[in-house]
Amino acid sequence: MKFRAKIVDAACLNHFTRVSTMIAKLAKTCTLRISPEKLNFVLSDRVASGGVSMWCELEQENFFSEFQMEGISAENNAIYLDLTAENLSRALKTAQNARALKIKLTNKHFPCLTVSIELLSVSSSSRVVTHDIPVKVIPRKLWKDLQEPTIPDSDVSIYLPVLKTMKSIVEKMKNISNHLIMEANLSGELNLKIETELVCITTHFKDLGNPPPASEDASQERPPEQMAEVHVDIRKLLQFLAGQQVNPTRAVCRQLKGSHTFHRGAGRLSARPPWSGAQDGPGAHLTGTENYLVSNKIVHFDLLHEDVSLQYFIPALS
Amino acid sequence: MKCLVTGGNVKVLGKAVHSLSRIGDELYLEPLEDGLSLRTVNSSRSAYACFLFAPLFFQQYQAATSGQEALRCKILMKSFLAVFRSLATVEKTVEKCCISLNGRSSCLVVQLHCKYGVRKTHNLSFQDCESLQAVFDPALCPHVLRAPARVLGEAVLPFPPALAEVTLGIGCGRRVILRSYQEEEADSTVKAMVTEMSIGEEDFQQLQAQEGVAITFCLKEFRGLLSFAESANLSLSVHFDAPGRTCHLPRPAIFAVKDSLLDGHFVLATLSESDLHSPALCSPELHRLAPPLQAHSTPHLDDFASDDIDSYMIAMETTADSEGSRAVPSIPLSPGLRPPCSPGPFSEDHEAEPSTEPGTPPPKKFRSLFFGSILAPVHSPPGPSPVLAEDSEGEG
C-alpha cells in the first residue's frame, strides 16, 4: 500500500484546507478513501454519529500536481483510512505560506498520514513542518459499508437558500426547541418550523426553485403546492450548516423515503440508509440477528463547492 | 522604595507582568541596587522566572529610603496583573506609573497617572518574604542557541496552543528541531498527532550545540517569555545541557532575554528522556542512550533507579551566603508525573522526606527546597552562585 501526493499551487492548497476544515466540522472521525482518480471523505452512519452519514468527493487532479497510489491489491486498488478529521485540518492550516505540501502514507511505529510542508522563509534557509497524523487502515472486509450511496426517489427536492441565512435562523430556533420541521414543495417554497406548547415559529422561504425531476412520472403525480414534511433533530441540522463556511455553488435538499434496517446483534445497533451494496454489514455475521424494518424519511443535502461534492444525510426523527 | 516608570516603558513593565503570570501565582518584588527585580516560581517549583529592570529603565528609581533596609514583598500575581490587565488601554492612556512601598504602610501602592488627569491608585497588600533566588548560571551550560524572538515565534506557530511539552534539539545538518512531546499512555488507543518544525542554522544568531542533543520542556511556560520577547523585539537565547553528555542528570534549561535596560530569565525544568528519535536525527550516541520509542512505558523505571528522585526541582538558595548555598542539582521531572503545568500541593517545609522506593514515580507532593529562615542580606546578593552538582558517576 502506497500513497504520495503533492500540492504546489496556493489556490489548490487553500481549497483543500477549506475542505478539510469543513469535514472536521461535520465529523469527528471519518474515513478517507484514496483511489487513483478521487479522494473521498466518508462517514458511514453509526449510532455514534446519530445516524448521520456523509459522502464527500473530490477529483484528485484538481488539487494535486503529483499523485501516486497503490491500493492493497490490483483488483482492489484503493486505500481506506480512519482518521481524526481535526488533525488533518489543523495540519493543513499551518501551510498558510507554503511553497509545497506533500502527503504520504508512512509507518512510524504506527500507520500515519505524514503531511510535510515546506514553508516560504524570509531568509535563504527553508523551514519544514511535518505532521504525523495517526490513521487506522480499514480492512478490505469492511469496505462495503463505505461505498457511494445511491439516492432513491425523493418526495420533493428543492434548492436551498443562502446557507448562512438558514444557519442563523436555525441557530435562534435551537434555543426554543430541538425538534425542527422542514417542509418543502415543488413550487420552490421551503418552511422551517418549530412548535412548542406556547409558541409556533415558522420561517418561509419562497422562490427557491426546484431541480428538474429524476423521472417524468414523479413530477406529474405530485401537486406543486403540496408540502412534504420531515422532522429532524435541530442540532444535527445546525452542525451541518455550521460546517459550510462558504456558500456552495449549488445546494439541493431532498426528502428521501428511506428504510432503515436495524440489525441487532451482540448488543450493537446500527441503522443503515440506502447505501448501495450494504445489504449485509458487520451485524449480519453475528448469529441471532433480529431485523426491524422501520420506514422512515431521510433528509439528503447535496452540495457542490466549486469542484468538491458533498452529500450529507440526516435521518428523520421517528 | 519608589520607582517611576514613564512612557512606553509602562507597557513593557505590563508585558513582563503578563509573562510572569504564566508561571506563578505570586509575584516577588524586590528593589535592588541593580534595579527592580520581579520574580515568580510555579507551585511545583519546576519553573522560575525573573525580570530585572535596571535603574535607567525608570525615570526615578529609589531602592530604599536612606537608613532603611530595602523591603521585599510578595504579592498575589492576580492583583498585580489587574493593574496592567489591558495592555492596549495601558498603552493608550497611561502616562506614568509609580510604584512605592514604605515600611509604615502595609500596602504596595501602584499609581497610574493617565490622560485627562485621571489617576488610578491600587493598594496591593503584600507579605514580607524571603528572597526568592534560583540557582542557575547560563555560563555553565555547554549548549546555547540564540535567535530573534520572531524566528522562535514562527517556530512554535504550528503547535496547538494546548500542547504542554515540546522537545527542542539539533538534528542532521545542524537543523534546529522542535517536536511536540506526547506522554505515552499505555492504554490509550487514540494516538495523538505529532508535529515537528525544522529550522535551518542560518536563522540563528548563535548555535553552539552538537547534533543529537535535545531537551524537553513546558511549551506553555516558554510562550510566556516568548511573547514578551516578541513584543519587545529582542533576541531570545536558550542555554541548556542535555542529559547523557556532560552530565548524568538533566539540568533545567535557561531562557534569557536582555537589553540595556532589562533582562529576563525563565528557568524551566526539563524531562529526563528527550529523544528526537527520528530519521532527522542521525547521532548514533543518542540512540544508544535514549530508550526506544516503542518500549516507552518500561524503561523509565530503570532510568530512575539510580537517580535521586527526591530532588527534582530547580535548585534554590536556602540559606544566607555565609553558610554556603545548599544547592541541589536540578533534576528532571519524573515522566510518571504530570509535568510543570499541574499544580502540586505546596509545602514550605524543607525537611527532606525519606525517599520513596526507587523505581516508583516520586509522590505528587512537591516539596520546596528553598524556604527556610533567611537572614535578610544587608546588601544585594552577589548574583547567583554556581550550581553545585553532585559528581557525575564515573565521569567526575
Side-chain angles (χ1 to χ4, degrees):
Chain A
M1 252 193 334
K2 258 201 328 207
F3 170 58
R4 28 178 358 114
K6 186 169 171 183
I7 303 180
V8 291
D9 178 69
C12 293
L13 182 55
N14 286 339
H15 192 18
F16 192 58
T17 306
R18 278 198 300 272
V19 173
S20 75
T21 306
M22 174 180 75
I23 301 294
K25 290 195 161 119
L26 296 176
K28 185 155 179 278
T29 56
C30 72
T31 305
L32 173 64
R33 175 182 177 268
I34 306 169
S35 58
E37 313 288 310
K38 302 190 194 138
L39 278 187
N40 295 89
F41 291 97
V42 187
L43 182 70
S44 82
D45 67 331
R46 286 280 175 267
V47 176
S49 61
V52 159
S53 44
M54 164 182 83
W55 177 269
C56 175
E57 183 166 296
L58 50 96
E59 305 268 327
Q60 60 88 348
E61 62 180 20
N62 291 344
F63 292 86
F64 299 93
S65 57
E66 285 170 32
F67 191 93
Q68 298 156 24
M69 62 114 0
E70 255 174 49
I72 52 178
S73 66
E75 310 85 55
N76 299 303
N77 196 17
I79 302 172
Y80 286 68
L81 304 169
D82 250 1
L83 53 73
T84 302
E86 208 213 319
N87 282 343
L88 181 62
S89 161
R90 227 176 345 107
L92 292 174
K93 279 188 190 153
T94 64
Q96 288 289 325
N97 297 316
R99 190 177 282 148
L101 181 139
K102 294 189 205 149
I103 308 183
K104 51 186 192 220
L105 188 60
T106 57
N107 193 341
K108 301 186 173 182
H109 312 290
F110 44 83
C112 285
L113 209 57
T114 296
V115 177
S116 169
I117 302 162
E118 200 187 311
L119 294 171
L120 294 167
S121 171
V122 181
S123 65
S124 57
S125 73
S126 70
R127 294 204 195 147
V128 181
V129 183
T130 315
H131 299 274
D132 292 319
I133 303 169
V135 296
K136 208 168 68 166
V137 179
I138 299 180
R140 170 83 190 86
K141 63 177 192 272
L142 297 177
W143 288 12
K144 49 174 125 28
D145 296 336
L146 299 162
Q147 298 308 307
E148 181 162 7
T150 50
I151 313 301
D153 287 337
S154 58
D155 288 339
V156 171
S157 59
I158 189 169
Y159 289 120
L160 287 172
V162 172
L163 293 188
K164 200 160 142 206
T165 311
M166 220 175 132
K167 175 182 156 227
S168 60
I169 288 166
V170 173
E171 232 168 18
K172 306 279 189 323
M173 287 179 163
K174 183 178 79 118
N175 298 330
I176 299 171
S177 166
N178 276 344
H179 194 119
L180 177 85
I181 304 165
M182 286 180 80
E183 290 178 340
N185 66 17
L186 291 170
S187 297
E189 291 175 340
L190 170 73
N191 296 340
L192 300 176
K193 192 156 57 166
I194 47 171
E195 291 172 341
T196 68
E197 288 170 354
L198 295 176
V199 69
C200 171
I201 303 174
T202 312
T203 302
H204 302 265
F205 294 94
K206 291 184 159 57
D207 298 326
L208 293 173
N210 302 84
S215 63
E216 275 306 308
D217 310 326
S219 70
Q220 271 152 22
E221 271 174 23
R222 191 184 181 85
E225 305 294 314
Q226 186 185 40
M227 287 285 183
E229 151 184 312
V230 69
H231 297 229
V232 290
D233 183 337
I234 206 172
R235 292 162 296 193
K236 292 187 183 143
L237 177 61
L238 197 54
Q239 182 176 20
F240 166 69
L241 293 171
Q244 312 310 315
Q245 296 288 287
V246 183
N247 206 44
T249 319
R250 194 189 79 142
V252 175
C253 174
R254 295 187 179 90
Q255 291 182 17
L256 308 177
K257 286 185 274 268
S259 71
H260 278 210
T261 311
F262 289 85
H263 297 264
R264 175 169 287 164
R268 222 188 59 181
L269 196 67
S270 69
R272 210 162 302 289
W275 239 224
S276 68
Q279 294 309 312
D280 49 17
H285 294 302
L286 304 161
T287 57
T289 50
E290 300 150 44
N291 292 350
Y292 302 86
L293 208 72
V294 177
S295 187
N296 212 341
K297 281 191 171 183
I298 301 173
V299 182
H300 172 228
F301 294 94
D302 187 355
L303 306 187
L304 191 63
H305 282 281
E306 292 173 52
D307 46 8
V308 177
S309 81
L310 174 70
Q311 295 185 64
Y312 200 80
F313 300 82
I314 300 181
L317 294 171
S318 44
Chain B
M1 169 198 78
K2 186 169 182 235
C3 335
L4 190 64
V5 189
T6 56
N9 283 353
V10 180
K11 187 182 173 201
V12 175
L13 179 65
K15 204 82 181 68
V17 178
H18 275 262
S19 290
L20 293 170
S21 70
R22 305 282 284 264
I23 303 284
D25 297 326
E26 288 172 331
L27 182 67
Y28 291 74
L29 201 134
E30 187 172 347
L32 305 166
E33 264 177 39
D34 312 345
L36 182 68
S37 111
L38 301 176
R39 302 181 186 131
T40 188
V41 70
N42 73 355
S43 52
S44 53
R45 297 289 183 269
S46 57
Y48 163 90
C50 91
F51 280 96
L52 180 70
F53 295 94
L56 281 176
F57 179 82
F58 304 91
Q59 189 175 70
Q60 232 185 69
Y61 181 73
Q62 185 183 36
T65 47
S66 51
Q68 283 187 346
E69 50 180 65
L71 296 158
R72 286 187 303 272
C73 62
K74 177 167 83 167
I75 322 161
L76 269 186
M77 183 69 75
K78 214 169 49 168
S79 314
F80 204 76
L81 187 63
V83 179
F84 302 97
R85 168 74 62 205
S86 162
L87 288 172
T89 313
V90 164
E91 189 178 21
K92 272 194 293 207
T93 62
V94 179
E95 288 163 357
K96 285 197 278 208
C97 168
C98 179
I99 306 176
S100 57
L101 181 62
N102 66 53
R104 280 164 293 144
S105 78
S106 58
C107 280
L108 177 77
V109 181
V110 183
Q111 203 171 57
L112 299 177
H113 298 242
C114 308
K115 273 203 241 189
Y116 315 118
V118 174
R119 202 180 296 184
K120 299 181 191 168
T121 309
H122 298 257
N123 297 314
L124 309 170
S125 60
F126 66 87
Q127 281 179 292
D128 283 323
C129 63
E130 309 84 356
S131 176
L132 178 75
Q133 176 69 50
V135 182
F136 62 93
D137 186 359
L140 288 184
C141 296
H143 310 303
V144 188
L145 54 83
R146 189 161 56 92
R150 181 191 47 83
V151 170
L152 294 171
E154 286 164 2
V156 301
L157 209 53
F159 298 94
L163 181 65
E165 285 100 34
V166 77
T167 302
L168 166 73
I170 316 294
C172 265
R174 306 262 301 153
R175 290 189 70 84
V176 177
I177 312 240
L178 273 168
R179 181 189 300 171
S180 57
Y181 176 84
Q182 312 286 351
E183 278 212 8
E184 291 261 331
E185 284 153 61
D187 60 343
S188 96
T189 46
V190 180
K191 304 245 187 298
M193 179 163 96
V194 174
T195 300
E196 181 180 294
M197 172 67 139
S198 153
I199 311 177
E201 185 182 5
E202 312 79 66
D203 282 345
F204 287 82
Q205 294 158 327
Q206 187 186 8
L207 185 60
Q208 185 184 304
Q210 295 95 329
E211 287 178 14
V213 298
I215 47 164
T216 301
F217 55 88
C218 181
L219 179 60
K220 281 191 193 165
E221 288 164 353
F222 169 65
R223 283 188 199 267
L225 182 63
L226 182 59
S227 73
F228 176 83
E230 277 180 302
S231 72
N233 214 6
L234 296 171
S235 287
L236 208 152
S237 55
V238 185
H239 305 256
F240 62 101
D241 194 356
R245 294 239 168 208
T246 53
C247 75
H248 180 65
L249 303 161
R251 292 172 192 277
I254 305 166
F255 302 85
V257 293
K258 189 176 175 59
D259 82 1
S260 52
L261 297 180
L262 60 86
D263 61 56
H265 289 92
F266 272 44
V267 185
L268 307 179
T270 60
L271 253 49
S272 69
E273 80 294 332
S274 299
D275 168 25
L276 285 186
H277 202 90
S278 82
L281 194 64
C282 49
S283 159
E285 286 172 329
L286 191 70
H287 287 202
R288 177 166 47 81
L289 292 162
L293 224 56
Q294 290 103 326
H296 227 225
S297 39
T298 45
H300 302 181
L301 304 178
D302 296 330
D303 283 349
F304 268 82
S306 51
D307 286 353
D308 179 1
I309 55 176
D310 270 349
S311 37
Y312 38 71
M313 286 160 282
I314 293 169
M316 301 288 203
E317 258 177 6
T318 55
T319 55
D321 288 334
S322 53
E323 295 175 18
S325 341
R326 207 192 84 203
V328 179
S330 41
I331 306 263
L333 302 169
S334 154
L337 282 167
R338 212 57 212 120
C341 318
S342 68
F346 163 53
S347 153
E348 298 242 356
D349 173 23
H350 70 274
E351 277 295 309
E353 280 175 359
S355 34
T356 51
E357 203 182 343
T360 60
K364 287 224 183 231
K365 186 167 154 226
F366 290 91
R367 276 161 290 112
S368 133
L369 289 180
F370 69 122
F371 286 135
S373 57
I374 298 181
L375 308 165
V378 178
H379 52 84
S380 58
S385 322
V387 173
L388 301 176
E390 56 184 348
D391 283 346
S392 304
E393 292 156 3
E395 292 171 53

